[in-house]
């Protein structure tokens, strides 16, 4: 509600400053690049997708509260500098170089700070932090583009230049540099994300500060490019912006692959305990296999099934990262409760997910089959292994049978011909097992696994001296 009020106040201020017609033109042109930037950041975070409400909050913060804070602070600073600054340097130039970067980057970083305070468990590392800060800056740039494009349209009407200034402004801000503001704020996200992975207190304190200062410095260099003359903008764009963008994207993709590798290496423990089928850890650790499984669910079920499958993959990723943090000795509050909640979610959706991931296993096999855990020779895992079902979809099976057959005068077998296989269970429901085969989904529910070695059950905190036995060893027969 407060964000909506800030948005209305901000739009009213822009309309009052530029006029209704110019405001509508600026709003229309500012909308055009925004969806592409939003989709790009959501694509970066698809390995560990955050709730859409969190994305909507940071977008709204950047577009409404962040811009309103920056507008008020920048206006106050400009008036104060005009009255108190007695120097040959233009006060507006000084405000653009020294005041605007500090105010705007701090206002945008406040959204990430709020998420850390109220939903800190959602952010697992640099990828999540970069996605959130990038979306915040996308909302900020959207509102700022409305103001600049509306002013450009008003200048064209006053000077009679047609649409030259508007087209030039749109080209620079929407086509040539749509990732400018997101790139600045992503430096803050990288600092916060790396601090979350750091085990030293100094790193957890200094990395966010360094990221925020780097964001302010890049913002100041971008604003100062207009002071350097006609070649200032291309020079800053080529020497600073493009290398920084490429390095940031590479670093985020590298961390995303690291998260997927954690999924592939951690989830086999739960497959051994009976919570997952043995091929799911590798399928869940591949974005291509996830996409194929979602397409299968959408084709055989509905779009809602594809969404449920994506939530299943997100829960499995959170489970793997949670377990990995605990095994590495990091502080994980409420580990047991959070683990059980995620396992219960996976168990409820198993009938929907397992046929889809079985299909993706066959169609898009992962590239690391050596990570698949072998079944112990001494004792089977609870419920037995659930191999990818070869009967999906069923195929006609004639067979030979026993007794009179072809050419013996009694026709095709005895009596009526055998049915062509059997009808499959509806997609999303547990299929009944074949006679003589184990239940495909194991027991009613596997027992909850104990906490990782060194973490006592029920506390969620690592112990100094943990048990020496293997918590994932199968039960002895």
């Amino acid at each position: 509600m407060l964000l909506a009020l800030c948005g209305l106040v901000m739009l009213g201020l822009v309309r009052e400053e530029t006029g209704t017609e110019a405001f509508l033109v600026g709003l229309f042109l500012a909308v055009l690049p925004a969806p592409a930037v939003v989709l790009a950041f959501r694509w970066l975070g698809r390995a560990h997708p955050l709730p859409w409400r969190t994305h909507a909050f940071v977008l709204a913060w950047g577009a409404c509260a962040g811009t309103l804070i920056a507008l008020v602070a920048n206006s106050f600073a400009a008036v104060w500098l005009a009255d108190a600054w007695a120097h040959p340097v233009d006060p507006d130039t000084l405000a653009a170089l020294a005041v605007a970067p500090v105010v705007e980057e701090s206002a945008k970083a406040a959204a990430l700070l709020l998420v850390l305070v109220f939903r800190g468990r959602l952010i697992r590392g640099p990828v999540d932090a970069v996605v959130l800060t990038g979306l915040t800056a996308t909302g900020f740039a959207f509102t700022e583009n409305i103001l600049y494009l509306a002013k450009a349209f008003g200048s064209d009407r006053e000077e009679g230049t047609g649409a030259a200034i508007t087209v030039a402004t749109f080209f620079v801000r929407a086509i040539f540099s749509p990732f400018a503001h997101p790139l600045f704020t992503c430096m803050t996200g990288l600092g916060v994300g790396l601090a979350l992975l750091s085990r030293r207190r100094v790193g957890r304190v200094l990395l966010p500060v360094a990221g925020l200062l780097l964001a302010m410095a890049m913002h100041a260099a971008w604003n100062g490019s207009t002071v350097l003359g006609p070649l200032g903008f291309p020079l800053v764009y080529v020497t600073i912006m493009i290398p920084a963008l490429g390095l940031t994207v590479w670093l985020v993709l590298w961390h995303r692959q690291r998260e997927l590798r954690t999924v592939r290496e951690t989830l086999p423990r739960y497959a051994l305990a009976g919570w997952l089928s043995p091929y799911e850890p590798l399928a869940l650790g591949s974005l291509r296999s996830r996409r194929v499984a979602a397409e299968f669910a959408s084709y055989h079920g509905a779009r809602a099934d594809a969404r449920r499958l994506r939530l299943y993959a997100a829960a499995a990723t959170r489970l793997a990262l949670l377990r990995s943090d605990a095994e590495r000795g990091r502080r994980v509050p409420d580990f047991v409760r959070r683990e059980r909640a995620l396992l219960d979610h996976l168990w409820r959706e198993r009938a929907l997910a397992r046929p889809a991931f079985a299909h993706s296993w066959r169609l898009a096999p992962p590239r690391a089959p050596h990570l698949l855990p072998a079944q112990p020779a001494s004792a089977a895992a609870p419920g037995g292994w659930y191999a990818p079902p070869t009967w999906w979809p069923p195929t006609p099976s004639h067979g030979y049978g026993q007794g009179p057959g072809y050419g013996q005068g009694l026709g095709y077998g005895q009596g009526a011909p055998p049915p062509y296989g059997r009808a499959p269970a509806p997609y999303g429901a547990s299929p009944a097992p074949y006679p003589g085969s184990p239940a495909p989904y194991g027991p009613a529910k596997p027992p909850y696994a104990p906490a990782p070695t060194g973490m006592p059950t029920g506390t969620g905190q690592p112990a100094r001296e943990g048990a020496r036995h293997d918590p994932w060893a199968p039960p002895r027969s």
Side-chain angles (χ1 to χ4, degrees), residues 313-328:
T317 304
R318 287 196 294 271
L319 177 64
L321 296 177
L322 179 70
R323 187 85 193 184
S324 177
D325 289 345
E327 291 177 349
R328 293 178 182 179

Side-chain angles (χ1 to χ4, degrees), residues 3 110 124 136 175 205 227 244 252 290 322 327 336-337 380 437-438 473:
L3 289 179
R124 308 297 307 177
T136 305
I175 297 179
V205 173
V227 184
V252 171
R290 292 188 187 187
L322 179 70
E327 291 177 349
V336 175
R337 183 184 62 81
S437 63

Side-chain angles (χ1 to χ4, degrees), residues 168-346:
T169 305
F170 178 80
F171 179 80
V172 171
R173 300 190 63 88
I175 297 179
F176 204 58
S177 59
F179 289 96
H181 270 287
L183 180 60
F184 307 150
T185 318
C186 282
M187 299 299 105
T188 305
L190 279 177
V192 173
L194 294 176
L196 293 176
L197 300 180
S198 178
R199 297 187 179 182
R200 297 183 178 181
R201 182 174 299 179
V202 176
R204 292 195 293 268
V205 173
L206 294 183
L207 284 173
V209 176
L212 181 60
L213 292 178
L214 181 59
M216 294 176 181
M218 293 182 61
H219 198 155
W222 179 259
N223 290 348
S225 63
T226 57
V227 184
L228 300 177
L231 297 179
F233 179 78
L235 181 64
V236 172
Y237 189 85
V238 173
T239 59
I240 297 179
M241 304 301 295
I242 293 181
L245 179 62
L247 182 61
T248 302
V249 172
W250 174 84
L251 189 60
V252 171
L253 293 179
W254 183 82
H255 275 281
R256 189 176 73 176
Q257 291 301 319
R258 186 180 178 183
E259 290 181 352
L260 293 173
R261 184 170 65 249
T262 301
V263 172
R264 294 192 295 267
E265 295 175 352
T266 305
L267 289 186
R269 297 166 174 80
Y270 295 98
L272 185 63
W275 289 96
L276 300 173
S277 51
Y279 52 86
E280 279 187 273
L282 294 185
L284 287 166
S286 169
L287 293 178
R288 181 168 178 258
S289 296
R290 292 188 187 187
R291 178 177 55 81
V292 173
E295 292 174 353
F296 177 88
S298 179
Y299 180 78
H300 290 275
R303 294 185 62 182
D305 292 336
R307 183 177 181 274
R308 289 168 56 195
L309 196 67
R310 294 188 183 96
L311 294 177
Y312 180 92
T317 304
R318 287 196 294 271
L319 177 64
L321 296 177
L322 179 70
R323 187 85 193 184
S324 177
D325 289 345
E327 291 177 349
R328 293 178 182 179
R330 295 175 183 164
R331 186 175 182 273
V332 184
D334 300 333
F335 170 81
V336 175
R337 183 184 62 81
R338 294 164 61 186
E339 183 192 40
R340 291 182 178 181
L342 292 171
L343 287 173
D344 289 340
H345 176 77
L346 297 181

